[in-house]
Amino acid sequence: MPSKEFCEDGMDGNAQDGLIKPNADAVTFTSANNEGGGVTLPILGDAVTTVQYETNEERKARRRSHYVVYFTTFIGSVGFSIVLTGVWPYVQQLDSGVSKEFLGWVIAVNPLGQMLASPLLGLWANKAGSSRGPLLFTVALNILGNALYAILSVFGSAARAMMVFARFLVGVSFANMAIIRSYIAASTTTSERTSAVAFTSAAQGCGFIIGPALQAAIAVSFASDSEAAADVLEYQLDDETPVVEWNMYTAAGWSAAFLGFINFFLFLPCVFQEHHIAAKEAQFHKSSNETNENLPKPDYLTVVSSLVTFYIVQFVFVLIEVLLVPLCIDMYAWSDETTLTIIGVGLCIAGLVATAMFASVGTLAKKFDERKLYIWLGLVPLLLSMGCFFPVGSTYPKIQNCTYSNKSIQREARSMPDVNLEVIKIPVDFQNYKYFRNTVDNFISEESESFSNEIPQLARFGRTRRNIRRREKKCSDTGCPPEQEWCKYTPIIEIPQLVVACFIAFIGYPVAFSMSSSLYSKLLGPKPQGVWMGILTSTGSLSRMTGPIFVSYMYTTLGTRWTFGLLFFVMIFTVLLISLFFRRLVPMKITST
C-alpha cells in the first residue's frame, strides 16, 4: 500500500508528487486510463512501473472540468447559429429596406469578433496563468450580446447598427474556443488528448446544427399565435415609449442568454477547477529520463491541406444554414412564419440525425480507416448535396409584387395623429409606396412650393411622421423580389430535391467536421497543441465570416445555379486534395530510445 504522501499529489504540477506503483504484470507501454491519468513505463529490465499523476478524486474533478468546457463549446456554437435562420425575417421586421448583402455582414461580424479577440484572450489567459477569468468574461459577453439582440426593438432607427454590435459581442465571446482548446491540451495526458479534441469538435458541430433547430422550434411554438406575434405596435411615440417585444426572433435571443447564465454558473470555483496534468506528465519524462521521445516536425504541407479542407467544410455548411430561409421564401413564396415553421420541423429531425452521426463517429473510427471515413462518409456526401441543390426543373418562382394602392396609403395616413384626411389628396402617380415616402422626404427637405399647392397639408403629414418612430412595413406580397433578375429565368429547387440535399448534408457534415479535427490533431503528434489549435480556431472563424458574405452577394446577384454550381466544384477540389494526401494523413511517427 503506497504511503500517504505519495497519494496526495496536490495541484502544483510536480511530477515527483505522482503516485508510483510497481506492476509486474504490465509488459508494454500503455495508458492507465481506468485508474488515473498515467502511463506505464518499462523500468529496470522486466520490472514495470505505473506512474499516476493524480488521485481518483482529482481525475473525476478533471473530467468534470472537461464536461464544463464541452458544454461551453456547445453554447458558443448555439449562440452563433441560433440566429442563422431567423435573422433575415427579423432584420426585415426591423427595417423593410434592408438588403440580403446586409444579412451577410450581420452573420459575418460574429466570426470576425472571434478572430480578432482570440489572440488577446489567449494572451490574457497566459499572463494570468488561469483560464477562469477570461472564460467568465467571455460568457458574460455572450449573455450581453444575446440580450441586446432580443431588445433591438427599443433602438428605433439604430436597430440595424445595434444588431451588428450585438452579434460582434457574441463573436468575441466565442473567442473562448482558443482558451478551451488550449486548456484541453493542458488538462489531458498524451493518450487522452485526441479523444478530448474530438469531443470538443463534436460539441462545436452539434451546436452549429442544434442552434437553428432551436430557433425553428421556437418558431413552431409561436406559429399558433402568428397573427398576434406579427401584429406589433407599428407606430410609437419617438423615444418616449420604447417597447421590448416578445416574438419568435427575440425569444431566440433570450433563450441563448439563459443558456449563458447557466454556463456562467458552471465556471464558478465551486464547479470548475483547473487541472494541468500535461505539465506533470512532461516534467516526469524530463526528470526521469526513462524514455527519450524524438518528436519530428509535423508534415506541414499535409497540415495545411487539412486546414484548407476544414475551412471548406465549415464554409459549405454555414452557407447552407444561412441560405435556407431566404431561399425558401424566394423559391416557394412562403411567409416568414410558414418558412420558419417548416424549416423548424426539418432542422429538428436533421439535428437528431446529425447528433447520431457525431455519436457514432468514434465507434466507426475504431472499425474503419479514419481517412476513408473522412472521404466516403464525410466529403462525398457534401459533394452530392451540392449537386442535389442545383436547380434543374421547369417550374419558376413567383415574382413578388410590391406596389401599393391609394387605399393602403390612406390607411397608413389614418394612423398618423393630427392629419386631416379630407384635405390630403394623393394622386395616382403615388402608387408605389417607396416612391411616395421618398417624395414626402424630398418635399420636406426642399420645401417645394408647387408640390405644396398640389397636395395641401402634406408637409404637416411629413413632419408628424418625422416625430414618430416608425418601423416600415415590408411588402406583404410573397415570392422572389423583382430586383433579383435571375428569378425570371432560373427554375426553383423542387421541395423533394431540397429535402434530399439537406438530409445528405446533415449526414456528411458531422463526419467531415470530426474527422478533419481528429486527423489534424494526430498529424501534430503528442506535443503541446495550443498554438496549432488557435490556428484551427482562426481558420473556422475565417470560414464562418467569408461564407455568409459570399452567399449574400453570389445568391442575390447570380442566383442558385451559380451558387451551388460553384460549391459543387469546390467540393470536387476538396475530395481530390484529400485523396492526393491520403497516404500522408497518418499520426506522427515517434521513435523511442
Side-chain angles (χ1 to χ4, degrees):
M1 192 67 184
S3 61
K4 182 178 180 181
E5 57 268 19
F6 281 112
C7 294
E8 297 175 350
D9 63 317
M11 297 292 293
D12 58 358
N14 295 323
Q16 289 80 359
D17 293 336
L19 175 63
I20 303 178
K21 299 186 300 183
N23 184 354
D25 297 330
V27 293
T28 58
F29 186 90
T30 60
S31 171
N33 284 333
N34 292 330
E35 295 297 332
V39 291
T40 304
L41 304 175
I43 301 177
L44 303 176
D46 293 336
V48 178
T49 300
T50 298
V51 180
Q52 185 172 312
Y53 309 108
E54 59 188 356
T55 64
N56 288 338
E57 291 73 16
E58 290 171 345
R59 184 169 185 263
K60 291 178 182 179
R62 183 168 61 91
R63 288 279 181 88
R64 187 168 61 247
S65 73
H66 289 170
Y67 297 146
V68 171
V69 296
Y70 297 154
F71 180 75
T72 303
T73 303
F74 174 78
I75 294 302
S77 300
V78 169
F80 166 75
S81 62
I82 192 171
V83 306
L84 291 183
T85 54
V87 67
W88 175 238
Y90 187 28
V91 73
Q92 281 189 307
Q93 183 189 91
L94 295 169
D95 185 352
S96 64
V98 71
S99 64
K100 287 189 176 72
E101 287 83 358
F102 179 75
L103 168 67
W105 287 104
V106 168
I107 296 174
V109 75
N110 182 289
L112 175 63
Q114 181 186 24
M115 189 167 59
L116 294 177
S118 291
L120 298 177
L121 288 172
L123 181 62
W124 179 5
N126 289 340
K127 291 290 185 181
S130 171
S131 300
R132 189 190 311 279
L135 288 171
L136 284 172
F137 173 75
T138 55
V139 174
L141 281 184
N142 181 277
I143 298 170
L144 176 61
N146 285 302
L148 284 176
Y149 181 85
I151 61 171
L152 290 176
S153 59
V154 306
F155 294 103
S157 59
R160 287 172 58 174
M162 287 304 301
M163 175 179 281
V164 173
F165 179 66
R167 297 307 299 161
F168 181 79
L169 288 182
V170 175
V172 172
S173 73
F174 200 28
N176 59 21
M177 280 303 304
I179 303 175
I180 287 174
R181 286 196 166 104
S182 178
Y183 174 72
I184 287 293
S187 63
T188 54
T189 62
T190 302
S191 60
E192 297 171 333
R193 194 160 301 143
T194 298
S195 60
V197 170
F199 273 120
T200 305
S201 299
Q204 185 177 9
C206 285
F208 287 147
I209 293 172
I210 294 177
L214 287 176
Q215 165 70 94
I218 293 171
V220 172
S221 67
F222 275 87
S224 59
D225 195 24
S226 59
E227 291 297 327
D231 187 20
V232 194
L233 187 59
E234 193 164 340
Y235 297 95
Q236 300 167 24
L237 295 179
D238 188 24
D239 298 329
E240 293 184 4
T241 57
V243 174
V244 177
E245 297 176 1
W246 174 255
N247 55 39
M248 66 182 70
Y249 314 119
T250 61
W254 288 123
S255 298
F258 175 73
L259 291 175
F261 273 112
I262 298 176
N263 199 185
F264 189 90
F265 171 78
L266 292 178
F267 276 118
L268 297 179
C270 57
V271 181
F272 178 78
Q273 298 174 355
E274 297 183 62
H275 299 264
H276 299 283
I277 197 170
K280 294 182 179 181
E281 183 183 36
Q283 288 181 18
F284 177 83
H285 285 300
K286 183 177 180 180
S287 60
S288 63
N289 290 323
E290 278 115 20
T291 62
N292 180 22
E293 294 182 345
N294 300 315
L295 298 180
K297 292 183 178 180
D299 184 347
Y300 291 115
L301 193 59
T302 308
V303 169
V304 170
S305 69
S306 181
L307 285 173
V308 170
T309 55
F310 182 79
Y311 171 91
I312 293 175
V313 166
Q314 288 219 51
F315 181 95
V316 169
F317 190 77
V318 170
L319 188 146
I320 293 174
E321 289 192 319
V322 171
L323 191 57
L324 208 52
V325 168
L327 185 146
C328 290
I329 292 174
D330 292 348
M331 293 289 97
Y332 312 125
W334 293 343
S335 66
D336 296 345
E337 291 78 11
T338 301
T339 303
L340 286 177
T341 301
I342 293 176
I343 290 180
V345 175
L347 285 179
C348 287
I349 297 173
L352 293 175
V353 173
T355 302
M357 292 302 300
F358 271 118
S360 62
V361 165
T363 303
L364 292 174
K366 294 178 181 179
K367 296 182 179 180
F368 304 99
D369 190 328
E370 290 185 358
R371 298 168 296 175
K372 294 181 180 179
L373 279 178
Y374 186 24
I375 294 176
W376 293 108
L377 202 57
L379 298 179
V380 170
L382 287 176
L383 170 65
L384 296 176
S385 175
M386 295 302 102
C388 289
F389 273 115
F390 194 81
V392 293
S394 57
T395 304
Y396 293 86
K398 173 184 175 294
I399 304 299
Q400 196 178 64
N401 183 4
C402 291
T403 58
Y404 286 74
S405 65
N406 286 341
K407 183 179 293 186
S408 64
I409 298 176
Q410 290 281 3
R411 280 199 304 269
E412 176 177 337
R414 189 175 293 111
S415 64
M416 297 292 184
D418 302 328
V419 176
N420 188 349
L421 297 178
E422 298 298 329
V423 298
I424 294 182
K425 300 176 182 179
I426 300 175
V428 179
D429 293 338
F430 292 116
Q431 294 289 329
N432 188 286
Y433 177 74
K434 290 183 179 179
Y435 178 57
F436 168 70
R437 293 187 65 85
N438 290 337
T439 306
V440 172
D441 291 335
N442 292 335
F443 170 76
I444 296 170
S445 60
E446 298 173 5
E447 296 183 358
S448 172
E449 190 171 319
S450 60
F451 190 81
S452 178
N453 293 331
E454 183 177 4
I455 306 181
Q457 293 194 10
L458 189 56
R460 185 183 177 191
F461 173 49
R463 284 193 298 270
T464 303
R465 183 181 59 80
R466 271 186 164 186
N467 293 327
I468 294 178
R469 182 174 66 82
R470 183 185 186 280
R471 182 183 318 153
E472 295 205 22
K473 184 177 181 180
K474 69 175 183 176
C475 177
S476 59
D477 194 26
T478 57
C480 203
E483 57 268 22
Q484 294 179 180
E485 293 291 334
W486 57 267
C487 293
K488 301 174 183 177
Y489 54 81
T490 304
I492 66 172
I493 302 172
E494 300 290 347
I495 293 179
Q497 182 182 354
L498 181 72
V499 171
V500 171
C502 290
F503 182 78
I504 296 175
F506 276 84
I507 288 179
Y509 172 72
V511 179
F513 186 87
S514 298
M515 288 294 99
S516 61
S517 304
S518 177
L519 290 172
Y520 175 82
S521 178
K522 291 182 178 181
L523 285 170
L524 299 174
K527 62 177 60 178
Q529 299 179 4
V531 175
W532 288 101
M533 288 304 167
I535 295 175
L536 186 69
T537 301
S538 297
T539 302
S541 300
L542 183 64
S543 175
R544 294 192 304 276
M545 182 178 66
T546 55
I549 296 175
F550 165 83
V551 70
S552 62
Y553 283 96
M554 179 67 73
Y555 173 79
T556 303
T557 306
L558 299 176
T560 51
R561 277 181 171 167
W562 277 95
T563 300
F564 291 109
L566 182 60
L567 291 176
F568 180 78
F569 285 105
V570 168
M571 286 308 306
I572 290 178
F573 165 78
T574 306
V575 173
L576 292 178
L577 179 66
I578 291 300
S579 300
L580 180 65
F581 286 93
F582 184 84
R583 295 183 180 276
R584 297 164 66 171
L585 281 172
V586 294
M588 178 184 289
K589 294 182 179 180
I590 303 172
T591 59
S592 300
T593 57

